[in-house]
Amino acid sequence: MQVCRTISDIRAHVGQFKADGESVALVPTMGFLHAGHIALVNRAKAECKRCVVTIFVNPTQFGDARDLEAYPRDEARDLEMLREAGVDAVLIPPVSEIYPPGDETIVETTHLANILHGKVRPGHFRGVTTVVARLFNIVGPDRAFFGEKDWQQLQVIRRMVRDLHMPLEIVGVPTIREDDGLAMSSRNVRLSPKDRKAARVLSQSLDTAEKSARDGAGIPEIGNDIRAVINTEPRARLRAVDIVWRDTLEPASGPLTRPIAIMLSAEFGDILLIDQREIFP
Ligand code: AMP
């Protein structure tokens, strides 16, 4: 596995893959890897001949400097996991490589970045599209793989790729969960033992929503059910429950006539966790 720190180094390797006629997958991550990231790698390897992973804790997508500072990191362990998973090349750049001095260009989906979870985290999705556009330009993959857990992020990236005519395909990969249902996240290690236990309530509320939908509930009841389940957990501070039509991302209302996507965010201590589910009528 090639470990690259610079743009020119990763480009040399990817250039060789392409010269050999091989397809290239990209899996962007912020490191501190878990089985969810490895699921993306496995899917990428199944669909492309070569798999490139980036590890970059992107400062522009953090609203809070303390959150950025506290983001967990373990490069040696990450590299071991990626080697084991059969990744071909990893890019671990310093911040100055991605954001050169004098840098001033941003990429933003002006509407989609600022609704739903974008309202809870101002500037977050602008940071995501800005870094992902740069990573796409650096690596030039045929396909890039993103988790459905970050559902709005996936939609924002699809919109950017469509609008800017970027020549690659975006693939969404289902969420990998702990045994008790909690969506895997690099942030989970920062939860206190009590909060870790309490955080199960997110996926439990989505299970309840799915059951209510099967029993014929409409959108308002589904929303109420989710809030009621989360409110049973005093350690959870609910930040947002968004229920949108899956195809338009407009707020859903009335009976469940079309597929919906539910997006949750809640704080446990000072850790913001998110979860998501698509429900079909
Ligand atoms: P992160 O390192 O948290 O920025 O995540 C990198 C990529 O992994 C993103 O596309 C995430 O959506 C995806 N991802 C994170 N957690 C999971 C999970 N539990 N299951 C599947 N994909 C995930």
Side-chain angles (χ1 to χ4, degrees):
M1 185 174 76
Q2 306 292 336
V3 179
C4 307
R5 308 268 169 193
T6 63
I7 293 172
S8 62
D9 198 12
I10 190 74
R11 278 194 170 146
H13 291 295
V14 173
Q16 190 59 53
F17 300 154
K18 291 192 174 171
D20 293 342
E22 297 169 336
S23 56
V24 176
L26 174 64
V27 179
T29 80
M30 298 207 298
F32 211 75
L33 303 178
H34 52 66
H37 297 109
I38 300 305
L40 301 189
V41 168
N42 290 339
R43 179 77 179 272
K45 281 174 58 78
E47 293 195 17
C48 293
K49 182 86 172 78
R50 296 290 188 173
C51 178
V52 176
V53 173
T54 58
I55 298 177
F56 182 62
V57 182
N58 174 36
T60 65
Q61 72 188 68
F62 287 80
D64 177 352
R66 275 169 313 168
D67 192 28
L68 170 62
E69 190 62 30
Y71 200 83
R73 299 163 205 241
D74 189 340
E75 187 183 302
R77 184 172 149 272
D78 287 350
L79 291 177
E80 199 40 53
M81 285 174 78
L82 295 177
R83 219 170 261 126
E84 182 125 326
V87 167
D88 296 285
V90 183
L91 173 64
I92 314 184
V95 171
S96 60
E97 191 76 0
I98 302 297
Y99 296 105
D103 158 87
E104 59 174 298
T105 306
I106 58 170
V107 178
E108 184 173 24
T109 55
T110 51
H111 174 64
L112 206 45
N114 298 307
I115 58 172
L116 310 169
H117 278 184
K119 277 200 261 185
V120 180
R121 304 182 71 187
H124 170 70
F125 289 115
R126 180 175 60 223
V128 170
T129 42
T130 297
V131 77
V132 169
R134 289 168 192 226
L135 295 174
F136 286 174
N137 279 337
I138 291 165
V139 176
D142 298 290
R143 289 185 188 174
F145 296 78
F146 292 87
E148 289 175 356
K149 185 190 74 135
D150 300 283
W151 197 82
Q152 189 173 356
Q153 168 173 285
L154 179 58
Q155 312 313 315
V156 162
I157 288 165
R158 286 190 195 284
R159 185 69 49 91
M160 170 186 79
V161 165
R162 190 200 69 176
D163 291 352
L164 296 182
H165 310 290
M166 292 176 163
L168 80 162
E169 203 182 305
I170 301 300
V171 180
V173 179
T175 303
I176 305 295
R177 296 175 180 280
E178 303 286 356
D179 288 343
D180 67 356
L182 177 65
M184 287 193 184
S185 164
S186 309
R187 292 174 191 275
N188 292 350
V189 294
R190 291 178 54 205
L191 295 165
S192 71
K194 282 184 178 158
D195 285 332
R196 166 62 190 83
K197 213 166 155 208
R200 291 184 302 190
V201 76
L202 289 180
S203 66
Q204 285 169 346
S205 74
L206 293 170
D207 293 342
T208 302
E210 206 167 339
K211 185 170 177 307
S212 307
R214 266 203 310 275
D215 293 345
I219 311 294
E221 296 99 305
I222 291 174
N224 290 340
D225 285 348
I226 289 172
R227 276 182 280 271
V229 172
I230 293 180
N231 286 337
T232 61
E233 176 46 70
R235 305 187 74 84
R237 277 200 314 286
L238 190 57
R239 293 294 302 274
V241 181
D242 291 309
I243 306 181
V244 299
W245 300 119
R246 185 172 166 271
D247 52 351
T248 62
L249 306 185
E250 294 299 326
S253 59
L256 184 63
T257 48
R258 285 143 58 199
I260 54 171
I262 304 173
M263 285 172 279
L264 300 181
S265 64
E267 279 174 332
F268 297 83
D270 58 355
I271 310 299
L272 184 70
L273 297 182
I274 64 173
D275 205 349
Q276 151 283 336
R277 188 146 322 165
E278 295 177 350
I279 295 180
F280 298 82

